[in-house]
Amino acid sequence: MVSTEQTISVTINGTTYERDVEARKLLIHFIRDDLDLTGSHVGCDTGNCGACSVIVDGQLVKSCMMLAVQADGSNVETVEGLADGEQLSKLQQSFRDHHALQCGYCTPGMLMSATALLRSNPHPSEDEIKKGLQGNICRCTGYWNIFEAVKAASE
Amino acid sequence: MLLREVGYARPGSLGEAIELLAADDGARALAGGQTLINVMKARAGSPDALVDLGRIEELKGIELGADGTLEIGAMTTYTEIIESSEARARPILGAVCAQIADVQVRNRGTIGGNICTSDPTNHLPPLLAALHAEMTIQSSDGTRTVPAADFFLGVYMTAVGPGELLTKIKLPAGRNDGFAAVTLGVEGTCIVSAAASANGSLTIALGCVDAVPVVLAPDSAEDDAIRTAVRAADLDPPSDVHASRAYRRHLAEVLAVRAARQAQGS
């Protein structure tokens, strides 16, 4: 059945949301505008910057290059799901300790990419860390402190 | 809201997908979406309806035949190819997929989407042309197979017609392959690319120098013969902000030799 609007059910950070969405709505806009989970950012809206990165069914994706209807039935993880209450994840704490952010705009995407990397590869080589963050652009830090933070979190 | 209003369907079977595509001239297949969704944002393309192939199991997976032949479902992602033990029967395939864009794109982008886009800067059209791949195309009338040499018809145009779907890509056995490219940044879009296969006689396919991959069969596998074959092709690539016509012609020779050397293990 072809239709311009569908009812979808998506589980985000453990909470299941059922909503009517237009087929043309991007997953990032569903997450931010419909569900008010504004941790994931829209940077470029062209699939280049990675600020909108989230994990869908265990796979890191850019949520501006996926329709919300494509996530129907999926399990999505966003940056809001990383901390346990006030307790930061080891990676988040490492970002803080290593001053791995300046303006912070890219940080949610960086955290999700690094989380996905460390899950599939808990002790990545330096090269593997760089490749794991390849899809995420940061215009402040020069990447070095982000790299150091991920490296420290993997040790 | 960035996209124009669009219809959407997520069929569970191949037959249903083909029916939906055949029923509406304005309907387009949605594979991984890593090109199409951006094209729709820019309004460079505005399909009336999207037929999402994401949950059709028949289009996924990699099979390795007893004779070393690989059959890859069109909806198999780059990441699945990179991680597949079967795909290692043709090692160049995973090696090239690992050079495409970044983790996020590799997790969603598919082999079928890459070649059906027929973007001259994509990695897989020249690679599959050099490897003598064969594409299976299905419609309500049945299936047909098209060799890679006849599959790419122009920029954004392939042999897949209205009401048809690419379902699988078949690769013959072989391990002596190579790929070389000059890209926009590490693992970025290709400026010029060359793929080589030296299983039997040497085949070279050049990317980004014409609307479709330019397939060459040099007289021998010597560097000079390869350079002569590239020159004889009288390439007329476009100039753009990344490279002039003359520089692309130069790169085509250099990269053809590099890819051929890799294919021959030297």
Side-chain angles (χ1 to χ4, degrees), chain A residues 100-137:
Chain A
L101 54 140
Q102 288 176 30
C103 87
Y105 201 88
C106 72
T107 310
M110 287 287 178
L111 285 167
M112 296 317 288
S113 292
T115 297
L117 170 71
L118 295 180
R119 242 182 233 171
S120 64
N121 183 0
H123 305 291
S125 67
E126 295 193 351
D127 200 44
E128 285 167 340
I129 294 173
K130 291 174 187 170
K131 286 200 74 155
L133 300 176
Q134 197 174 17
N136 295 72
I137 293 173

PDB file of all heavy atoms in Angstrom, chain A residues 100-137:
ATOM      1  N   ALA A 100      37.268  17.280  24.951  1.00  0.00           N
ATOM      2  CA  ALA A 100      37.075  16.824  23.565  1.00  0.00           C
ATOM      3  C   ALA A 100      35.979  17.594  22.848  1.00  0.00           C
ATOM      4  O   ALA A 100      35.471  17.130  21.832  1.00  0.00           O
ATOM      5  CB  ALA A 100      36.762  15.324  23.564  1.00  0.00           C
ATOM      6  N   LEU A 101      35.582  18.726  23.397  1.00  0.00           N
ATOM      7  CA  LEU A 101      34.597  19.538  22.693  1.00  0.00           C
ATOM      8  C   LEU A 101      34.874  21.003  22.983  1.00  0.00           C
ATOM      9  O   LEU A 101      35.402  21.345  24.037  1.00  0.00           O
ATOM     10  CB  LEU A 101      33.168  19.199  23.121  1.00  0.00           C
ATOM     11  CG  LEU A 101      32.835  19.241  24.600  1.00  0.00           C
ATOM     12  CD1 LEU A 101      31.454  19.838  24.807  1.00  0.00           C
ATOM     13  CD2 LEU A 101      32.898  17.848  25.181  1.00  0.00           C
ATOM     14  N   GLN A 102      34.523  21.827  22.011  1.00  0.00           N
ATOM     15  CA  GLN A 102      34.586  23.266  22.250  1.00  0.00           C
ATOM     16  C   GLN A 102      33.174  23.825  22.137  1.00  0.00           C
ATOM     17  O   GLN A 102      32.510  24.035  23.125  1.00  0.00           O
ATOM     18  CB  GLN A 102      35.581  23.918  21.297  1.00  0.00           C
ATOM     19  CG  GLN A 102      37.016  23.568  21.695  1.00  0.00           C
ATOM     20  CD  GLN A 102      38.057  24.108  20.749  1.00  0.00           C
ATOM     21  OE1 GLN A 102      37.879  25.141  20.125  1.00  0.00           O
ATOM     22  NE2 GLN A 102      39.168  23.404  20.640  1.00  0.00           N
ATOM     23  N   CYS A 103      32.656  23.954  20.910  1.00  0.00           N
ATOM     24  CA  CYS A 103      31.278  24.459  20.824  1.00  0.00           C
ATOM     25  C   CYS A 103      30.276  23.357  21.144  1.00  0.00           C
ATOM     26  O   CYS A 103      29.162  23.626  21.558  1.00  0.00           O
ATOM     27  CB  CYS A 103      31.008  25.076  19.453  1.00  0.00           C
ATOM     28  SG  CYS A 103      30.468  23.923  18.181  1.00  0.00           S
ATOM     29  N   GLY A 104      30.671  22.106  20.939  1.00  0.00           N
ATOM     30  CA  GLY A 104      29.812  20.987  21.321  1.00  0.00           C
ATOM     31  C   GLY A 104      28.794  20.555  20.292  1.00  0.00           C
ATOM     32  O   GLY A 104      28.063  19.589  20.509  1.00  0.00           O
ATOM     33  N   TYR A 105      28.750  21.256  19.157  1.00  0.00           N
ATOM     34  CA  TYR A 105      27.692  20.941  18.185  1.00  0.00           C
ATOM     35  C   TYR A 105      27.830  19.537  17.609  1.00  0.00           C
ATOM     36  O   TYR A 105      26.850  18.822  17.432  1.00  0.00           O
ATOM     37  CB  TYR A 105      27.670  21.984  17.049  1.00  0.00           C
ATOM     38  CG  TYR A 105      26.338  21.996  16.365  1.00  0.00           C
ATOM     39  CD1 TYR A 105      25.303  22.808  16.831  1.00  0.00           C
ATOM     40  CD2 TYR A 105      26.075  21.166  15.282  1.00  0.00           C
ATOM     41  CE1 TYR A 105      24.060  22.796  16.243  1.00  0.00           C
ATOM     42  CE2 TYR A 105      24.830  21.144  14.691  1.00  0.00           C
ATOM     43  CZ  TYR A 105      23.821  21.959  15.173  1.00  0.00           C
ATOM     44  OH  TYR A 105      22.588  21.932  14.593  1.00  0.00           O
ATOM     45  N   CYS A 106      29.062  19.124  17.351  1.00  0.00           N
ATOM     46  CA  CYS A 106      29.276  17.814  16.733  1.00  0.00           C
ATOM     47  C   CYS A 106      29.270  16.686  17.755  1.00  0.00           C
ATOM     48  O   CYS A 106      29.267  15.511  17.388  1.00  0.00           O
ATOM     49  CB  CYS A 106      30.599  17.792  15.961  1.00  0.00           C
ATOM     50  SG  CYS A 106      32.056  17.768  17.049  1.00  0.00           S
ATOM     51  N   THR A 107      29.311  17.051  19.048  1.00  0.00           N
ATOM     52  CA  THR A 107      29.561  16.072  20.105  1.00  0.00           C
ATOM     53  C   THR A 107      28.565  14.898  20.135  1.00  0.00           C
ATOM     54  O   THR A 107      28.985  13.743  20.274  1.00  0.00           O
ATOM     55  CB  THR A 107      29.622  16.777  21.472  1.00  0.00           C
ATOM     56  OG1 THR A 107      30.514  17.884  21.353  1.00  0.00           O
ATOM     57  CG2 THR A 107      30.122  15.835  22.546  1.00  0.00           C
ATOM     58  N   PRO A 108      27.250  15.145  19.993  1.00  0.00           N
ATOM     59  CA  PRO A 108      26.328  14.002  20.032  1.00  0.00           C
ATOM     60  C   PRO A 108      26.661  12.957  18.960  1.00  0.00           C
ATOM     61  O   PRO A 108      26.628  11.747  19.232  1.00  0.00           O
ATOM     62  CB  PRO A 108      24.953  14.620  19.763  1.00  0.00           C
ATOM     63  CG  PRO A 108      25.104  16.078  19.937  1.00  0.00           C
ATOM     64  CD  PRO A 108      26.548  16.427  19.828  1.00  0.00           C
ATOM     65  N   GLY A 109      26.995  13.440  17.768  1.00  0.00           N
ATOM     66  CA  GLY A 109      27.341  12.515  16.681  1.00  0.00           C
ATOM     67  C   GLY A 109      28.657  11.812  16.948  1.00  0.00           C
ATOM     68  O   GLY A 109      28.795  10.609  16.716  1.00  0.00           O
ATOM     69  N   MET A 110      29.645  12.578  17.448  1.00  0.00           N
ATOM     70  CA  MET A 110      30.945  11.985  17.781  1.00  0.00           C
ATOM     71  C   MET A 110      30.771  10.892  18.832  1.00  0.00           C
ATOM     72  O   MET A 110      31.367   9.810  18.736  1.00  0.00           O
ATOM     73  CB  MET A 110      31.894  13.054  18.332  1.00  0.00           C
ATOM     74  CG  MET A 110      32.416  14.023  17.308  1.00  0.00           C
ATOM     75  SD  MET A 110      33.636  13.221  16.238  1.00  0.00           S
ATOM     76  CE  MET A 110      34.011  14.588  15.139  1.00  0.00           C
ATOM     77  N   LEU A 111      29.952  11.177  19.841  1.00  0.00           N
ATOM     78  CA  LEU A 111      29.736  10.195  20.914  1.00  0.00           C
ATOM     79  C   LEU A 111      29.069   8.929  20.378  1.00  0.00           C
ATOM     80  O   LEU A 111      29.432   7.816  20.766  1.00  0.00           O
ATOM     81  CB  LEU A 111      28.884  10.808  22.034  1.00  0.00           C
ATOM     82  CG  LEU A 111      29.602  11.809  22.945  1.00  0.00           C
ATOM     83  CD1 LEU A 111      28.590  12.567  23.801  1.00  0.00           C
ATOM     84  CD2 LEU A 111      30.625  11.095  23.847  1.00  0.00           C
ATOM     85  N   MET A 112      28.101   9.088  19.472  1.00  0.00           N
ATOM     86  CA  MET A 112      27.414   7.899  18.953  1.00  0.00           C
ATOM     87  C   MET A 112      28.352   7.079  18.058  1.00  0.00           C
ATOM     88  O   MET A 112      28.367   5.851  18.110  1.00  0.00           O
ATOM     89  CB  MET A 112      26.144   8.288  18.180  1.00  0.00           C
ATOM     90  CG  MET A 112      25.077   8.961  19.026  1.00  0.00           C
ATOM     91  SD  MET A 112      24.786   8.221  20.653  1.00  0.00           S
ATOM     92  CE  MET A 112      23.947   6.708  20.220  1.00  0.00           C
ATOM     93  N   SER A 113      29.164   7.772  17.247  1.00  0.00           N
ATOM     94  CA  SER A 113      30.110   7.053  16.383  1.00  0.00           C
ATOM     95  C   SER A 113      31.140   6.307  17.228  1.00  0.00           C
ATOM     96  O   SER A 113      31.466   5.150  16.959  1.00  0.00           O
ATOM     97  CB  SER A 113      30.818   8.019  15.430  1.00  0.00           C
ATOM     98  OG  SER A 113      29.896   8.521  14.497  1.00  0.00           O
ATOM     99  N   ALA A 114      31.646   6.983  18.260  1.00  0.00           N
ATOM    100  CA  ALA A 114      32.652   6.344  19.106  1.00  0.00           C
ATOM    101  C   ALA A 114      32.028   5.213  19.928  1.00  0.00           C
ATOM    102  O   ALA A 114      32.659   4.172  20.153  1.00  0.00           O
ATOM    103  CB  ALA A 114      33.294   7.382  20.023  1.00  0.00           C
ATOM    104  N   THR A 115      30.778   5.388  20.346  1.00  0.00           N
ATOM    105  CA  THR A 115      30.080   4.322  21.076  1.00  0.00           C
ATOM    106  C   THR A 115      29.943   3.086  20.187  1.00  0.00           C
ATOM    107  O   THR A 115      30.220   1.955  20.620  1.00  0.00           O
ATOM    108  CB  THR A 115      28.680   4.808  21.531  1.00  0.00           C
ATOM    109  OG1 THR A 115      28.857   5.896  22.445  1.00  0.00           O
ATOM    110  CG2 THR A 115      27.896   3.709  22.218  1.00  0.00           C
ATOM    111  N   ALA A 116      29.531   3.300  18.938  1.00  0.00           N
ATOM    112  CA  ALA A 116      29.375   2.169  18.003  1.00  0.00           C
ATOM    113  C   ALA A 116      30.725   1.503  17.751  1.00  0.00           C
ATOM    114  O   ALA A 116      30.826   0.269  17.717  1.00  0.00           O
ATOM    115  CB  ALA A 116      28.773   2.660  16.685  1.00  0.00           C
ATOM    116  N   LEU A 117      31.761   2.322  17.606  1.00  0.00           N
ATOM    117  CA  LEU A 117      33.102   1.771  17.367  1.00  0.00           C
ATOM    118  C   LEU A 117      33.537   0.896  18.540  1.00  0.00           C
ATOM    119  O   LEU A 117      33.969  -0.252  18.339  1.00  0.00           O
ATOM    120  CB  LEU A 117      34.107   2.918  17.170  1.00  0.00           C
ATOM    121  CG  LEU A 117      35.581   2.499  17.155  1.00  0.00           C
ATOM    122  CD1 LEU A 117      35.896   1.738  15.868  1.00  0.00           C
ATOM    123  CD2 LEU A 117      36.507   3.694  17.307  1.00  0.00           C
ATOM    124  N   LEU A 118      33.432   1.421  19.758  1.00  0.00           N
ATOM    125  CA  LEU A 118      33.950   0.697  20.921  1.00  0.00           C
ATOM    126  C   LEU A 118      33.119  -0.549  21.231  1.00  0.00           C
ATOM    127  O   LEU A 118      33.620  -1.505  21.822  1.00  0.00           O
ATOM    128  CB  LEU A 118      34.013   1.614  22.146  1.00  0.00           C
ATOM    129  CG  LEU A 118      34.998   2.783  22.021  1.00  0.00           C
ATOM    130  CD1 LEU A 118      34.987   3.641  23.272  1.00  0.00           C
ATOM    131  CD2 LEU A 118      36.423   2.281  21.747  1.00  0.00           C
ATOM    132  N   ARG A 119      31.854  -0.548  20.808  1.00  0.00           N
ATOM    133  CA  ARG A 119      31.035  -1.741  20.992  1.00  0.00           C
ATOM    134  C   ARG A 119      31.510  -2.880  20.088  1.00  0.00           C
ATOM    135  O   ARG A 119      31.609  -4.020  20.510  1.00  0.00           O
ATOM    136  CB  ARG A 119      29.594  -1.406  20.612  1.00  0.00           C
ATOM    137  CG  ARG A 119      28.665  -1.566  21.772  1.00  0.00           C
ATOM    138  CD  ARG A 119      27.268  -1.253  21.287  1.00  0.00           C
ATOM    139  NE  ARG A 119      26.685  -0.245  22.150  1.00  0.00           N
ATOM    140  CZ  ARG A 119      25.537   0.355  21.890  1.00  0.00           C
ATOM    141  NH1 ARG A 119      24.876   0.066  20.782  1.00  0.00           N
ATOM    142  NH2 ARG A 119      25.060   1.230  22.734  1.00  0.00           N
ATOM    143  N   SER A 120      31.807  -2.538  18.826  1.00  0.00           N
ATOM    144  CA  SER A 120      32.210  -3.596  17.891  1.00  0.00           C
ATOM    145  C   SER A 120      33.696  -3.899  18.004  1.00  0.00           C
ATOM    146  O   SER A 120      34.153  -4.959  17.608  1.00  0.00           O
ATOM    147  CB  SER A 120      31.858  -3.192  16.453  1.00  0.00           C
ATOM    148  OG  SER A 120      32.610  -2.060  16.086  1.00  0.00           O
ATOM    149  N   ASN A 121      34.440  -2.952  18.543  1.00  0.00           N
ATOM    150  CA  ASN A 121      35.890  -3.094  18.611  1.00  0.00           C
ATOM    151  C   ASN A 121      36.380  -2.398  19.886  1.00  0.00           C
ATOM    152  O   ASN A 121      36.771  -1.230  19.845  1.00  0.00           O
ATOM    153  CB  ASN A 121      36.494  -2.455  17.338  1.00  0.00           C
ATOM    154  CG  ASN A 121      37.987  -2.620  17.269  1.00  0.00           C
ATOM    155  OD1 ASN A 121      38.609  -3.209  18.152  1.00  0.00           O
ATOM    156  ND2 ASN A 121      38.577  -2.084  16.214  1.00  0.00           N
ATOM    157  N   PRO A 122      36.336  -3.085  21.043  1.00  0.00           N
ATOM    158  CA  PRO A 122      36.602  -2.421  22.330  1.00  0.00           C
ATOM    159  C   PRO A 122      38.019  -1.845  22.463  1.00  0.00           C
ATOM    160  O   PRO A 122      38.231  -0.924  23.232  1.00  0.00           O
ATOM    161  CB  PRO A 122      36.395  -3.543  23.355  1.00  0.00           C
ATOM    162  CG  PRO A 122      35.580  -4.581  22.657  1.00  0.00           C
ATOM    163  CD  PRO A 122      35.952  -4.490  21.211  1.00  0.00           C
ATOM    164  N   HIS A 123      38.979  -2.386  21.715  1.00  0.00           N
ATOM    165  CA  HIS A 123      40.349  -1.876  21.813  1.00  0.00           C
ATOM    166  C   HIS A 123      40.889  -1.535  20.424  1.00  0.00           C
ATOM    167  O   HIS A 123      41.790  -2.192  19.909  1.00  0.00           O
ATOM    168  CB  HIS A 123      41.254  -2.907  22.500  1.00  0.00           C
ATOM    169  CG  HIS A 123      40.731  -3.320  23.845  1.00  0.00           C
ATOM    170  ND1 HIS A 123      40.710  -2.460  24.921  1.00  0.00           N
ATOM    171  CD2 HIS A 123      40.177  -4.479  24.267  1.00  0.00           C
ATOM    172  CE1 HIS A 123      40.168  -3.078  25.963  1.00  0.00           C
ATOM    173  NE2 HIS A 123      39.834  -4.303  25.590  1.00  0.00           N
ATOM    174  N   PRO A 124      40.328  -0.498  19.817  1.00  0.00           N
ATOM    175  CA  PRO A 124      40.732  -0.156  18.449  1.00  0.00           C
ATOM    176  C   PRO A 124      42.159   0.397  18.386  1.00  0.00           C
ATOM    177  O   PRO A 124      42.634   1.003  19.358  1.00  0.00           O
ATOM    178  CB  PRO A 124      39.723   0.923  18.050  1.00  0.00           C
ATOM    179  CG  PRO A 124      39.296   1.539  19.337  1.00  0.00           C
ATOM    180  CD  PRO A 124      39.345   0.446  20.357  1.00  0.00           C
ATOM    181  N   SER A 125      42.796   0.194  17.253  1.00  0.00           N
ATOM    182  CA  SER A 125      44.101   0.818  17.011  1.00  0.00           C
ATOM    183  C   SER A 125      43.871   2.303  16.744  1.00  0.00           C
ATOM    184  O   SER A 125      42.736   2.733  16.532  1.00  0.00           O
ATOM    185  CB  SER A 125      44.779   0.164  15.800  1.00  0.00           C
ATOM    186  OG  SER A 125      44.044   0.473  14.635  1.00  0.00           O
ATOM    187  N   GLU A 126      44.958   3.071  16.723  1.00  0.00           N
ATOM    188  CA  GLU A 126      44.812   4.511  16.458  1.00  0.00           C
ATOM    189  C   GLU A 126      44.154   4.744  15.104  1.00  0.00           C
ATOM    190  O   GLU A 126      43.297   5.614  14.947  1.00  0.00           O
ATOM    191  CB  GLU A 126      46.186   5.198  16.529  1.00  0.00           C
ATOM    192  CG  GLU A 126      46.768   5.128  17.934  1.00  0.00           C
ATOM    193  CD  GLU A 126      47.956   6.039  18.136  1.00  0.00           C
ATOM    194  OE1 GLU A 126      48.459   6.609  17.153  1.00  0.00           O
ATOM    195  OE2 GLU A 126      48.373   6.183  19.308  1.00  0.00           O
ATOM    196  N   ASP A 127      44.559   3.938  14.137  1.00  0.00           N
ATOM    197  CA  ASP A 127      43.997   4.077  12.801  1.00  0.00           C
ATOM    198  C   ASP A 127      42.509   3.720  12.791  1.00  0.00           C
ATOM    199  O   ASP A 127      41.704   4.373  12.116  1.00  0.00           O
ATOM    200  CB  ASP A 127      44.780   3.182  11.830  1.00  0.00           C
ATOM    201  CG  ASP A 127      44.581   3.617  10.400  1.00  0.00           C
ATOM    202  OD1 ASP A 127      44.636   4.837  10.147  1.00  0.00           O
ATOM    203  OD2 ASP A 127      44.356   2.733   9.540  1.00  0.00           O
ATOM    204  N   GLU A 128      42.170   2.694  13.534  1.00  0.00           N
ATOM    205  CA  GLU A 128      40.751   2.286  13.586  1.00  0.00           C
ATOM    206  C   GLU A 128      39.886   3.361  14.253  1.00  0.00           C
ATOM    207  O   GLU A 128      38.729   3.553  13.870  1.00  0.00           O
ATOM    208  CB  GLU A 128      40.612   0.948  14.317  1.00  0.00           C
ATOM    209  CG  GLU A 128      41.074  -0.233  13.469  1.00  0.00           C
ATOM    210  CD  GLU A 128      41.246  -1.526  14.246  1.00  0.00           C
ATOM    211  OE1 GLU A 128      41.389  -1.499  15.489  1.00  0.00           O
ATOM    212  OE2 GLU A 128      41.253  -2.595  13.595  1.00  0.00           O
ATOM    213  N   ILE A 129      40.439   4.063  15.238  1.00  0.00           N
ATOM    214  CA  ILE A 129      39.687   5.163  15.865  1.00  0.00           C
ATOM    215  C   ILE A 129      39.435   6.254  14.821  1.00  0.00           C
ATOM    216  O   ILE A 129      38.318   6.747  14.665  1.00  0.00           O
ATOM    217  CB  ILE A 129      40.445   5.756  17.073  1.00  0.00           C
ATOM    218  CG1 ILE A 129      40.549   4.707  18.188  1.00  0.00           C
ATOM    219  CG2 ILE A 129      39.758   7.018  17.583  1.00  0.00           C
ATOM    220  CD1 ILE A 129      41.425   5.131  19.367  1.00  0.00           C
ATOM    221  N   LYS A 130      40.486   6.597  14.074  1.00  0.00           N
ATOM    222  CA  LYS A 130      40.339   7.659  13.062  1.00  0.00           C
ATOM    223  C   LYS A 130      39.320   7.253  12.001  1.00  0.00           C
ATOM    224  O   LYS A 130      38.469   8.054  11.596  1.00  0.00           O
ATOM    225  CB  LYS A 130      41.694   7.972  12.424  1.00  0.00           C
ATOM    226  CG  LYS A 130      42.652   8.650  13.389  1.00  0.00           C
ATOM    227  CD  LYS A 130      44.036   8.822  12.779  1.00  0.00           C
ATOM    228  CE  LYS A 130      45.018   9.336  13.828  1.00  0.00           C
ATOM    229  NZ  LYS A 130      46.416   9.295  13.352  1.00  0.00           N
ATOM    230  N   LYS A 131      39.392   6.001  11.568  1.00  0.00           N
ATOM    231  CA  LYS A 131      38.428   5.544  10.556  1.00  0.00           C
ATOM    232  C   LYS A 131      37.014   5.494  11.119  1.00  0.00           C
ATOM    233  O   LYS A 131      36.044   5.749  10.416  1.00  0.00           O
ATOM    234  CB  LYS A 131      38.822   4.164  10.020  1.00  0.00           C
ATOM    235  CG  LYS A 131      40.016   4.220   9.070  1.00  0.00           C
ATOM    236  CD  LYS A 131      40.103   3.005   8.183  1.00  0.00           C
ATOM    237  CE  LYS A 131      39.047   3.025   7.097  1.00  0.00           C
ATOM    238  NZ  LYS A 131      39.377   2.271   5.906  1.00  0.00           N
ATOM    239  N   GLY A 132      36.905   5.149  12.406  1.00  0.00           N
ATOM    240  CA  GLY A 132      35.584   5.067  13.034  1.00  0.00           C
ATOM    241  C   GLY A 132      34.894   6.422  13.144  1.00  0.00           C
ATOM    242  O   GLY A 132      33.679   6.507  13.218  1.00  0.00           O
ATOM    243  N   LEU A 133      35.712   7.491  13.160  1.00  0.00           N
ATOM    244  CA  LEU A 133      35.157   8.840  13.291  1.00  0.00           C
ATOM    245  C   LEU A 133      35.149   9.598  11.966  1.00  0.00           C
ATOM    246  O   LEU A 133      34.847  10.792  11.924  1.00  0.00           O
ATOM    247  CB  LEU A 133      35.966   9.644  14.328  1.00  0.00           C
ATOM    248  CG  LEU A 133      36.009   9.077  15.742  1.00  0.00           C
ATOM    249  CD1 LEU A 133      36.918   9.936  16.615  1.00  0.00           C
ATOM    250  CD2 LEU A 133      34.610   9.007  16.343  1.00  0.00           C
ATOM    251  N   GLN A 134      35.467   8.870  10.896  1.00  0.00           N
ATOM    252  CA  GLN A 134      35.633   9.503   9.591  1.00  0.00           C
ATOM    253  C   GLN A 134      34.367  10.221   9.105  1.00  0.00           C
ATOM    254  O   GLN A 134      34.449  11.216   8.393  1.00  0.00           O
ATOM    255  CB  GLN A 134      35.996   8.403   8.595  1.00  0.00           C
ATOM    256  CG  GLN A 134      36.591   8.868   7.310  1.00  0.00           C
ATOM    257  CD  GLN A 134      37.026   7.667   6.493  1.00  0.00           C
ATOM    258  OE1 GLN A 134      36.613   6.539   6.745  1.00  0.00           O
ATOM    259  NE2 GLN A 134      37.864   7.896   5.521  1.00  0.00           N
ATOM    260  N   GLY A 135      33.211   9.711   9.498  1.00  0.00           N
ATOM    261  CA  GLY A 135      31.954  10.290   9.026  1.00  0.00           C
ATOM    262  C   GLY A 135      31.473  11.469   9.859  1.00  0.00           C
ATOM    263  O   GLY A 135      30.354  11.935   9.668  1.00  0.00           O
ATOM    264  N   ASN A 136      32.311  11.933  10.782  1.00  0.00           N
ATOM    265  CA  ASN A 136      31.897  13.024  11.658  1.00  0.00           C
ATOM    266  C   ASN A 136      32.856  14.194  11.540  1.00  0.00           C
ATOM    267  O   ASN A 136      34.064  14.040  11.709  1.00  0.00           O
ATOM    268  CB  ASN A 136      31.865  12.546  13.119  1.00  0.00           C
ATOM    269  CG  ASN A 136      30.809  11.483  13.327  1.00  0.00           C
ATOM    270  OD1 ASN A 136      30.972  10.349  12.882  1.00  0.00           O
ATOM    271  ND2 ASN A 136      29.725  11.843  13.963  1.00  0.00           N
ATOM    272  N   ILE A 137      32.294  15.361  11.273  1.00  0.00           N
ATOM    273  CA  ILE A 137      33.124  16.557  11.104  1.00  0.00           C
ATOM    274  C   ILE A 137      33.052  17.426  12.360  1.00  0.00           C
ATOM    275  O   ILE A 137      31.980  17.629  12.921  1.00  0.00           O
ATOM    276  CB  ILE A 137      32.653  17.353   9.864  1.00  0.00           C
ATOM    277  CG1 ILE A 137      32.944  16.535   8.593  1.00  0.00           C
ATOM    278  CG2 ILE A 137      33.335  18.714   9.783  1.00  0.00           C
ATOM    279  CD1 ILE A 137      32.388  17.140   7.323  1.00  0.00           C
TER     280      ILE A 137
END
